[in-house]
Amino acid sequence: MSEHGALDPTESTHRVVTRQPAGANDWDETGRITVENRVVEALVPYGTAVHLCVDSGVAPLGDLTERLARVGEGGRVLSGARPEYRARLPEDADVLLSALAVEPGDTDAWVARLDALHEFAVVTPESWLYRSVPHHAHIRELNATARDGALAAVADELAPVAGSAVVPVDGLASWRSGDFRYELAWDALRRRKTGDSQWTAFDLSGLRRVEPRPERAELVARWRPVDSWPRRLVARVVRPASVDPPTRIEFPDAAAMAEAVAGLRKLNDELGYGFAVAEP
């Protein structure tokens, strides 16, 4: 992406993910808004500007549009036809971070932060560092190739925050075993049979314990049962293959198994799933 070119989402290498604890609000220390604002603050030394598509006249974001320069057609980097504004870094960092923050209990500001701020990106003249679509929590993407040290800065910033982490967009591990291909994503173990076009996802929040068996290159997995018959019935109708997750997960070799175990440990430690990982 040049200074006057459109941002290319396919350049994303990592994403910021949050498992917000039950009862936590978005503006709490472990909430999605506060976590994202910490990411932006960590990237201020690495970016030269933040581009925002935001509705004018919506407080407090409307004040932001009055204080920032509007981007002309030749300087846009975001998609869509909405007005785009530029905050220069580090000059406008305080103005920007103040507008992105939401005071506890301020539901009007919370709605504006999620809905009136349609998209924003931290950029450099040559590329982009971070892209977010606030009302789509899964679009919080990083481009680790843009600036040396930026990814590590974000990871360090989130290290003390329970339930948030930086993960690769392509998952933490992938392998093939027999007729199946597996992928370990940040929130699920995914499996697809050869010839099938769709993945079956097994939510990691249902995982109770995994036991590595290197001599057989397999994991023994124990899962929590679906907690009620109505939910199990719905699951059988909507996602029948996901009702009975695999209890023995095979790998082509011990090295592939070790990579998956390392990924599970990282997710468990940083996102607080609470399953046990036995020592091999």
Side-chain angles (χ1 to χ4, degrees):
M1 186 198 81
S2 69
E3 188 173 4
H4 302 295
L7 178 153
D8 183 0
T10 65
E11 294 176 343
S12 62
T13 61
H14 294 74
R15 61 169 47 99
V16 175
V17 297
T18 298
R19 291 187 71 233
Q20 192 160 299
N25 295 302
D26 286 350
W27 52 69
D28 292 338
E29 283 300 308
T30 54
R32 293 181 180 88
I33 288 177
T34 301
V35 167
E36 179 163 74
N37 291 349
R38 292 183 69 155
V39 171
V40 176
E41 186 171 8
L43 290 174
V44 165
Y46 298 90
T48 57
V50 177
H51 283 238
L52 311 95
C53 279
V54 56
D55 292 336
S56 60
V58 179
L61 297 176
D63 296 337
L64 183 64
T65 62
E66 293 177 3
R67 301 181 67 175
L68 300 180
R70 183 164 174 176
V71 178
E73 286 301 318
R76 294 181 64 93
V77 302
L78 301 176
S79 59
R82 294 183 175 90
E84 184 170 325
Y85 298 85
R86 181 191 294 114
R88 298 193 178 277
L89 298 177
E91 300 93 319
D92 297 325
D94 289 344
V95 173
L96 172 72
L97 293 170
S98 177
L100 293 182
V102 176
E103 291 295 325
D106 190 342
T107 54
D108 289 340
W110 173 78
V111 171
R113 176 67 169 74
L114 294 184
D115 293 333
L117 178 57
H118 299 282
E119 183 180 5
F120 71 92
V122 183
V123 304
T124 72
E126 299 81 23
S127 190
W128 62 276
L129 299 173
Y130 180 72
R131 167 181 175 253
S132 172
V133 179
H135 62 280
H136 290 310
H138 64 283
I139 306 180
R140 302 165 76 187
E141 300 169 338
L142 289 158
N143 177 8
T145 64
R147 281 284 171 91
D148 291 343
L151 180 65
V154 173
D156 289 345
E157 180 68 25
L158 296 186
V161 182
S164 288
V166 177
V167 297
V169 295
D170 295 330
L172 287 87
S174 63
W175 66 95
R176 188 179 297 277
S177 178
D179 292 335
F180 290 98
R181 179 171 182 80
Y182 291 86
E183 288 186 356
L184 178 61
W186 74 271
D187 57 348
L189 174 67
R190 294 165 17 113
R191 184 177 69 182
R192 184 176 68 187
K193 192 171 185 178
T194 302
D196 289 350
S197 59
Q198 294 185 333
W199 292 88
T200 298
F202 307 101
D203 194 332
L204 292 181
S205 63
L207 187 58
R208 178 181 292 170
R209 176 183 171 86
V210 290
E211 182 181 337
R213 294 185 176 176
E215 71 281 359
R216 301 183 62 176
E218 71 173 19
L219 284 179
V220 176
R222 293 182 175 85
W223 303 80
R224 295 180 180 87
V226 176
D227 56 7
S228 67
W229 71 263
R231 289 182 61 183
R232 189 173 181 86
L233 179 60
V234 170
R236 283 204 175 277
V237 173
V238 178
R239 295 184 304 160
S242 68
V243 174
D244 299 311
T247 56
R248 292 185 180 273
I249 304 166
E250 298 178 340
F251 296 83
D253 51 51
M257 187 206 72
E259 182 182 17
V261 171
L264 286 167
R265 290 187 190 278
K266 170 184 169 65
L267 295 174
N268 202 33
D269 291 343
E270 297 183 4
L271 297 178
Y273 280 106
F275 52 77
V277 182
E279 293 296 331

